[in-house]
Amino acid sequence: MDEIVGLCWDAFPWISTQATRLGLDTQDNRFAQLGGELFILTQQIQSADQKEIQLKVVKLAELVNKACSISKAQHENLGALRRILEWKDSITPTEIALAKDVQRSLHQFVQYNPEYPSLLRLIADCLHAMNTPEELPDGHLMSKEILYPAHINNTLYTHLRMYSTCSCTTQHLDYARLRLDPEHDQQNASDVSFDLLFVKGHSPCAAKCQSRWKEVKVLVARRNEQTQKKRVSFAVKNWSLSSTKSGLPSTKSLRKVELGEFCRLIGSEKGTLIQFHIKDNVMKLADSVPGSICRSFLPQSTSLSAWLGKTAHLSNRVKITLAYTIARSVWQYYNSNWMTQPWTHDSIQIMKQNIGDANHIRPHPYFITKLHHRRGQILDYCLGDDLFHMYPNILSLGMVLIEIAAKQPFKPGSSNYAWDETTINDYYEWAWTTANSSNLGKTIGAAYQAVVNNCLDAELFVDSACELSKLDDGLEYRQTILYEKVVLPLRELYYAYKDDWEVLEISRMETPVYTPQTHTTSSRPTTGLHFSIAIFCALPFEADAVNELFNETWNEDGERFSRSAGDDNAYTFGKVLHHNVVLVHMAGMGKAAASQAASSVRSSYPEVKLALVVGVCGGVPSNSDGKEDLILGDVVISDGIVQYDFGRRFPDVFVSKSGPEVVSRPGPKLRGILAKLKGVRRRERLEASLLEYLEDLQNTLGSIRAGYPGVDKDELYHEAYRHKHRNPSSCKTCAHEDKENLTCEEARVMTCQQVGCQNSRLVQRKRLREASADGVIPKPRVHFGFVGSGDTVMKSGQHRDLTAAQHNLIAFEMEASGIWDNLPCLVIKGVCDYADSHKNKHWQYYAAATAAACMKAVLEDC
């Protein structure tokens, strides 16, 4: 038996080389697949010391021998393998003839012998048997890697959540990024190591340099069964901190951290290394910290979905590393506070490390989450009568593995992953169809395809000893099967693959903002005639959001873009994607200011053919006529501009005019662009790009200036419910019985909570309910339609609905009608309120950010 194992170990690598060469010569991936599988097997075959594994190796040796035999005589006593072993290293014509014979035999076997699929299955069985961990007396499997005990994951989560509760303006602890690391921990280590990223600072320079992040190393002590003590240490440094070989600081060098000091240290602009220790629920700060190795990262993170969509090529090495890293992390964090919802391509973020020039990067996956307080039991299963798959965490992992291998992000019909009975079946159907159509066995290998099939196998845990009524009892078993069937095979692929780390991103991706860009003289405009697009912003925070998305700015060259006499506008000159644009900082709001600004732009920059009006607006909420639900933070794009306050004033009523004299429609070219954007596929891409650019803005501007305010702050009251004092004793004016419509001036500037507006009068919306139930942020959507433009600020729910119904409006704003008189324009504005008496300014920054992000996404098609 030992002789046969040794024969296979010596001969299989040479056979693997011949199969690979045959694959290159014939361009038939089946030969390359056989060569790759044999190569992986040879990395493990020496450890085949169990009797059952040795028997599988004997059967495999017989079948490989048959595949390499040029005559029936070589079938006996493994004659072909013995011939290979004798001559494979000789530098003679015999070795050359041997290679030709074996290649000819392999060619016949792979193409015409029905036993070829059996050979691949047998290789997979051998690998599976070799890598199955030892079995413990209780029937559970022993992992070759470290499984994080539940108390370690939850200790990490709850301590971070507790110490991240702060009132600082930076809010750098929103959206913590937990690094998913493929490296293996030491079994005998006294601590489990975690790496996290937090947004550090809020200064303008921090948004454009590598030091805007703080990376936190968390060492969680393994539980001492005798003392039952826990210890958590935090090592904080700019960007990266690798594991240190030195021990933990002595207790003498620690001091207690004061209230609020943790947040100040994380938010500090200083590049010094900081280390915390938590013991017995007391946080202490270390005076001295060991050194570290820094990595160079791009400042922005990108969701896995957006990154896959914009990446032209990924080598198999990168795909397998990502797949293994994510699968291993799902196993280690399974059913903990970090996994209250299945991990999807949106919750996994890609941080990009520079390892050469600006176009050569290495992706690192991170899990992004808000550190919410978790209530109730966390379940890893979903029960339903018609479910294809009852374990959403495993199904979601399978979907991510398919997305990585096929480089094809899943696009759900809803903005939220609900993971209920209906949507789980939809996700399963997509995964099954995509996996079959992508032919993963040929593109990456049979082992990878087997892993995906295991994730999609509804009977993966069928041998579990737990009963349907006691599913929680089988959690440990399910975690063990996940390791055996998914993590281990990917682990072997991770170590076996030797090809390059190539990642080629398409040209649409802008150069990292922290890297100074170099341009030839011809790429930079030399005169004002080189600008084709003007962007108008009425408010400073609107312009700030747009300016952050410029790929380049040239304000230092403003003099060469000379303006005409009498042009008093303030400009920012720059480039967005491939467009030279001029950003117009308007002197104020309204049609008159917009008209004056547009007239000056037309005079100074005559080649500007398109004006984009970007900023915030009041939205018209959806009615019950089947229209798509509109919520705060969504973006509206104008199909036409309606001057709704143009009309006749009668003694009893104002009658708004309708018809072509008040509707400004875009020209043929702009209508073509709009028609393209409205298409189903392009609209999906538009919203995906919007989300990507919004993430960039949130990374650079921070959560205060670009963050989502919260689902609970998106309040839509019934149109007839007025904003006024609701307590009769608070205000006599608001409580006047004969004049119900009266509202005092004080109430107009107070919040709904201050005047007592009742939550029972709120209108419930499906998208917000789904987001609240899932604990996620609803993704902003794009709506197309007529936009009302006038000098009147709409602050009445009843007048809003009447005017919107008369002109078929979806939003109200105040500048576009003035710009249209001078330049053809497109309104791209984020919804910051519902144009009623309850409007406030809570949503202005987020709406401005979504509008700016949508503006850049639209320019991809212009």
Side-chain angles (χ1 to χ4, degrees):
M1 194 77 74
D2 291 340
E3 180 189 1
I4 293 175
V5 172
L7 181 63
C8 294
W9 184 71
D10 285 332
F12 281 5
W14 186 87
I15 299 172
S16 169
T17 301
Q18 304 309 314
T20 303
R21 288 175 179 172
L22 193 58
L24 292 172
D25 293 340
T26 62
Q27 295 297 302
D28 189 334
N29 195 58
R30 289 176 296 178
F31 300 106
Q33 182 180 356
L34 175 60
E37 299 292 335
L38 282 175
F39 174 80
I40 295 171
L41 182 67
T42 57
Q43 308 302 304
Q44 304 294 327
I45 204 169
Q46 276 188 312
S47 63
D49 54 358
Q50 299 178 30
K51 184 176 181 180
E52 180 184 353
I53 297 176
Q54 290 178 340
L55 290 174
K56 290 180 181 292
V57 172
V58 170
K59 293 180 181 179
L60 177 63
E62 292 174 348
L63 198 52
V64 173
N65 182 81
K66 184 176 182 180
C68 297
S69 299
I70 59 173
S71 66
K72 290 186 178 180
Q74 292 182 349
H75 290 183
E76 301 295 331
N77 199 25
L78 303 180
L81 294 183
R82 296 181 188 279
R83 180 186 178 217
I84 290 170
L85 185 61
E86 181 179 359
W87 296 103
K88 68 182 180 67
D89 294 324
S90 65
I91 310 175
T92 65
T94 304
E95 193 273 338
I96 298 175
L98 173 66
K100 290 183 178 179
D101 288 345
V102 170
Q103 288 187 22
R104 184 168 63 251
S105 179
L106 286 174
H107 190 277
Q108 293 292 322
F109 184 85
V110 171
Q111 287 200 333
Y112 304 111
N113 197 313
E115 290 182 287
Y116 169 66
S118 300
L119 173 58
L120 292 180
R121 285 196 297 270
L122 189 54
I123 294 174
D125 287 344
C126 286
L127 281 171
H128 170 72
M130 291 175 190
N131 291 298
T132 300
E134 287 182 41
E135 204 167 314
L136 297 177
D138 62 358
H140 287 201
L141 297 174
M142 181 188 299
S143 165
K144 289 185 178 180
E145 297 185 78
I146 296 175
L147 175 62
Y148 300 158
H151 84 273
I152 289 182
N153 283 328
N154 291 334
T155 295
L156 169 72
Y157 186 94
T158 54
H159 278 79
L160 287 175
R161 183 188 59 78
M162 181 176 66
Y163 284 103
S164 68
T165 304
C166 65
S167 58
C168 61
T169 57
T170 306
Q171 294 189 8
H172 42 261
L173 295 171
D174 276 356
Y175 301 102
R177 287 162 171 78
L178 174 68
R179 186 172 185 229
L180 311 182
D181 193 348
E183 298 304 323
H184 300 273
D185 302 298
Q186 300 295 322
Q187 281 280 16
N188 58 358
S190 59
D191 303 291
V192 178
S193 176
F194 302 87
D195 287 318
L196 297 102
L197 285 178
F198 294 118
V199 176
K200 180 188 68 173
H202 55 279
S203 66
C205 64
K208 299 191 177 184
C209 64
Q210 299 177 41
S211 62
R212 71 174 306 272
W213 292 100
K214 288 280 191 180
E215 183 165 351
V216 180
K217 179 168 287 293
V218 183
L219 299 177
V220 183
R222 299 184 187 280
R223 177 174 293 169
N224 185 324
E225 297 299 336
Q226 296 178 348
T227 63
Q228 292 293 308
K229 292 183 179 181
K230 307 176 194 177
R231 179 180 56 193
V232 182
S233 67
F234 295 78
V236 185
K237 181 176 175 59
N238 285 349
W239 279 105
S240 175
L241 176 63
S242 62
S243 354
T244 58
K245 296 183 180 179
S246 57
L248 298 174
S250 65
T251 55
K252 294 181 180 180
S253 64
L254 302 177
R255 67 172 178 82
K256 187 176 180 181
V257 177
E258 301 298 329
L259 183 66
E261 186 178 5
F262 176 78
C263 288
R264 291 196 298 271
L265 290 168
I266 296 293
S268 171
E269 297 293 335
K270 295 181 179 180
T272 55
L273 180 64
I274 308 169
Q275 183 166 294
F276 296 94
H277 294 261
I278 297 180
K279 184 177 181 180
D280 298 328
N281 289 327
V282 177
M283 174 176 280
K284 294 185 178 181
L285 174 67
D287 293 333
S288 60
V289 185
S292 63
I293 301 174
C294 294
R295 293 172 296 175
S296 174
F297 277 91
L298 277 67
Q300 290 89 2
S301 66
T302 306
S303 69
L304 178 63
S305 172
W307 184 72
L308 289 173
K310 71 178 182 181
T311 304
H313 168 73
L314 293 178
S315 68
N316 280 343
R317 172 64 167 167
V318 175
K319 290 181 180 179
I320 291 209
T321 300
L322 285 174
Y324 168 57
T325 302
I326 293 170
R328 180 175 182 262
S329 300
V330 168
W331 166 67
Q332 289 180 314
Y333 296 103
Y334 195 77
N335 212 57
S336 68
N337 283 334
W338 298 95
M339 195 171 286
T340 56
Q341 289 288 321
W343 289 8
T344 69
H345 61 212
D346 287 330
S347 53
I348 297 171
Q349 296 280 308
I350 298 295
M351 299 295 298
K352 290 172 280 190
Q353 176 190 2
N354 264 345
I355 57 175
D357 56 53
N359 295 320
H360 197 191
I361 61 98
R362 179 173 295 177
H364 293 273
Y366 280 74
F367 175 68
I368 184 171
T369 181
K370 276 193 172 183
L371 300 169
H372 291 296
H373 178 59
R374 304 299 183 189
R375 293 183 174 88
Q377 185 180 7
I378 301 172
L379 303 178
D380 73 321
Y381 55 84
C382 181
L383 300 178
D385 295 333
D386 301 319
L387 279 179
F388 291 152
H389 201 298
M390 63 182 293
Y391 298 98
N393 292 330
I394 308 300
L395 173 59
S396 181
L397 173 60
M399 293 174 65
V400 170
L401 297 183
I402 294 169
E403 291 173 309
I404 291 172
K407 214 172 65 61
Q408 180 181 341
F410 168 64
K411 297 184 182 299
S414 169
S415 61
N416 298 315
Y417 288 87
W419 296 105
D420 56 23
E421 186 172 347
T422 302
T423 53
I424 287 177
N425 284 344
D426 291 341
Y427 303 155
Y428 184 86
E429 182 179 356
W430 176 89
W432 181 270
T433 304
T434 307
N436 283 308
S437 62
S438 300
N439 203 350
L440 303 181
K442 285 189 176 181
T443 56
I444 294 189
Y448 194 98
Q449 185 173 27
V451 167
V452 171
N453 289 341
N454 286 336
C455 289
L456 302 185
D457 185 1
E459 297 183 336
L460 180 64
F461 304 133
V462 70
D463 295 328
S464 173
C466 68
E467 302 176 5
L468 190 62
S469 59
K470 300 178 180 179
L471 281 170
D472 297 339
D473 296 343
L475 176 61
E476 182 180 350
Y477 179 88
R478 293 195 291 276
Q479 207 163 359
T480 304
I481 295 300
L482 171 61
Y483 180 83
E484 176 190 350
K485 300 288 188 180
V486 177
V487 179
L488 261 181
L490 290 176
R491 178 178 183 265
E492 302 310 322
L493 287 175
Y494 170 72
Y495 282 116
Y497 261 88
K498 301 297 183 183
D499 66 348
D500 62 277
W501 276 96
E502 184 179 359
V503 177
L504 179 62
E505 298 192 353
I506 61 178
S507 58
R508 183 185 69 78
M509 178 185 173
E510 58 268 33
T511 307
V513 296
Y514 72 87
T515 305
Q517 299 186 14
T518 57
H519 298 273
T520 62
T521 304
S522 60
S523 67
R524 186 186 293 261
T526 56
T527 71
L529 298 176
H530 292 161
F531 292 93
S532 57
I533 294 176
I535 302 173
F536 291 80
C537 294
L539 299 170
F541 65 85
E542 298 173 337
D544 288 344
V546 170
N547 198 19
E548 283 294 331
L549 291 177
F550 274 32
N551 297 90
E552 297 177 79
T553 56
W554 302 307
N555 264 31
E556 69 278 8
D557 297 333
E559 292 183 2
R560 75 171 64 182
F561 313 135
S562 57
R563 63 184 74 192
S564 62
D567 184 354
D568 295 326
N569 286 342
Y571 296 113
T572 295
F573 305 97
K575 174 172 283 190
V576 178
L577 300 175
H578 57 281
H579 301 282
N580 294 328
V581 302
V582 52
L583 171 60
V584 185
H585 303 263
M586 292 173 50
M589 300 170 57
K591 182 172 61 176
S595 179
Q596 182 179 357
S599 177
S600 295
V601 169
R602 185 178 182 182
S603 175
S604 297
Y605 307 104
E607 293 303 313
V608 168
K609 304 300 182 185
L610 174 63
L612 300 179
V613 189
V614 182
V616 298
C617 67
V620 179
S622 308
N623 298 317
S624 58
D625 56 359
K627 289 184 179 179
E628 188 178 30
D629 202 11
L630 179 146
I631 63 176
L632 300 184
D634 283 357
V635 180
V636 299
I637 297 179
S638 60
D639 265 343
I641 299 164
V642 179
Q643 190 176 345
Y644 67 91
D645 59 355
F646 181 75
R648 300 179 178 86
R649 166 58 66 183
F650 292 99
D652 57 338
V653 69
F654 173 81
V655 178
S656 175
K657 274 195 170 185
S658 60
E661 66 268 26
V662 295
V663 180
S664 303
R665 295 180 180 273
K669 183 177 180 179
L670 203 51
R671 288 203 303 270
I673 294 174
L674 289 171
K676 180 180 180 181
L677 293 175
K678 291 177 185 178
V680 175
R681 295 300 179 192
R682 187 58 193 91
R683 188 168 179 178
E684 289 176 349
R685 285 177 50 202
L686 175 68
E687 292 180 346
S689 295
L690 186 162
L691 190 63
E692 175 190 345
Y693 295 131
L694 177 61
E695 290 172 351
D696 291 346
L697 277 174
Q698 290 171 335
N699 287 332
T700 56
L701 292 176
S703 57
I704 291 291
R705 296 171 61 198
Y708 184 76
V711 173
D712 58 327
K713 291 183 173 61
D714 189 339
E715 298 175 330
L716 170 63
Y717 288 91
H718 286 280
E719 68 279 1
Y721 188 70
R722 296 173 61 86
H723 180 85
K724 57 191 299 185
H725 284 106
R726 291 294 161 182
N727 187 346
S729 62
S730 299
C731 176
K732 294 182 179 180
T733 303
C734 294
H736 202 291
E737 296 182 359
D738 297 331
K739 297 182 179 180
E740 185 180 349
N741 292 332
L742 282 181
T743 302
C744 71
E745 291 300 320
E746 182 185 14
R748 299 187 195 279
V749 297
M750 297 175 71
T751 66
C752 289
Q753 289 71 29
Q754 289 172 329
V755 299
C757 292
Q758 300 173 359
N759 289 340
S760 61
R761 303 303 299 272
L762 289 172
V763 179
Q764 300 297 317
R765 265 84 52 76
K766 180 181 178 182
R767 285 175 62 193
L768 296 179
R769 286 200 308 270
E770 291 175 348
S772 180
D774 297 337
V776 298
I777 294 174
K779 297 178 183 177
R781 293 182 181 173
V782 178
H783 307 265
F784 296 86
F786 286 165
V787 173
S789 182
D791 281 322
T792 303
V793 178
M794 181 63 72
K795 296 189 67 172
S796 167
Q798 289 177 304
H799 289 92
R800 173 202 65 203
D801 287 352
L802 289 172
T803 306
Q806 180 182 358
H807 299 287
N808 195 23
L809 305 179
I810 63 170
F812 293 88
E813 64 89 61
M814 300 179 64
E815 289 79 37
S817 59
I819 296 172
W820 183 263
D821 291 337
N822 296 279
L823 293 167
C825 70
L826 193 66
V827 174
I828 304 176
K829 292 204 171 187
V831 178
C832 69
D833 58 64
Y834 291 114
D836 59 8
S837 58
H838 304 275
K839 67 189 302 180
N840 56 61
K841 298 183 178 182
H842 294 323
W843 289 83
Q844 287 188 339
Y845 286 114
Y846 180 72
T850 60
C854 186
M855 174 273 301
K856 190 166 184 176
V858 168
L859 287 180
E860 293 176 5
D861 284 300
C862 292

